[in-house]
C-alpha cells in the first residue's frame, strides 16, 4: 500500500511538473541565486559546455565571414 501511494505521488508530481514546466522554469530563473547555480551547474557538464561553446563560436564565425 505504501509503495502504491509513493508511485501515485511521483506520477502526480511528474505530471504537474511537465504540465507547468514553463511556469516552473520562469520561477526558478527569476531568482538570481538559483539562476547562477543553474548556469554554473550546467556549464560544469562537459556535454553542455561543448555544445554551448560550439553554438556561440560557430555563429560568431559565420558573422565574421560575412
Amino acid at each position: 500500500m505504501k509503495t502504491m501511494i509513493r508511485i501515485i505521488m511521483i506520477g502526480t508530481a511528474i505530471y504537474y511538473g511537465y504540465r507547468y514546466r514553463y511556469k516552473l522554469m520562469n520561477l526558478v530563473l527569476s531568482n538570481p541565486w538559483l539562476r547562477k547555480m543553474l548556469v554554473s551547474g550546467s556549464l560544469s557538464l562537459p556535454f553542455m559546455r561543448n555544445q554551448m561553446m560550439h553554438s556561440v563560436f560557430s555563429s560568431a564565425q559565420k558573422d565574421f565571414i560575412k
Side-chain angles (χ1 to χ4, degrees), residues 36-50:
K36 182 178 179 180
M37 295 302 290
L38 182 68
V39 170
S40 64
S42 65
L43 288 178
S44 68
L45 299 171
F47 171 77
M48 291 291 288
R49 184 178 55 240
N50 292 339

Side-chain angles (χ1 to χ4, degrees), residues 10 14 19-20 22 27 29-30 37-38 46 52 54 58 60 65:
I10 291 171
I14 290 172
R19 183 174 178 185
Y20 297 111
Y22 296 114
L27 181 70
L29 293 176
S30 67
M37 295 302 290
L38 182 68
M52 176 92 65
H54 175 71
S58 68
I65 291 174

Side-chain angles (χ1 to χ4, degrees), residues 7-29:
I7 291 171
I8 291 171
M9 294 294 286
I10 291 171
T12 304
I14 290 172
Y15 171 75
Y16 282 107
Y18 180 76
R19 183 174 178 185
Y20 297 111
R21 64 188 179 273
Y22 296 114
K23 288 184 181 184
L24 290 171
M25 202 171 3
N26 285 335
L27 181 70
V28 170
L29 293 176

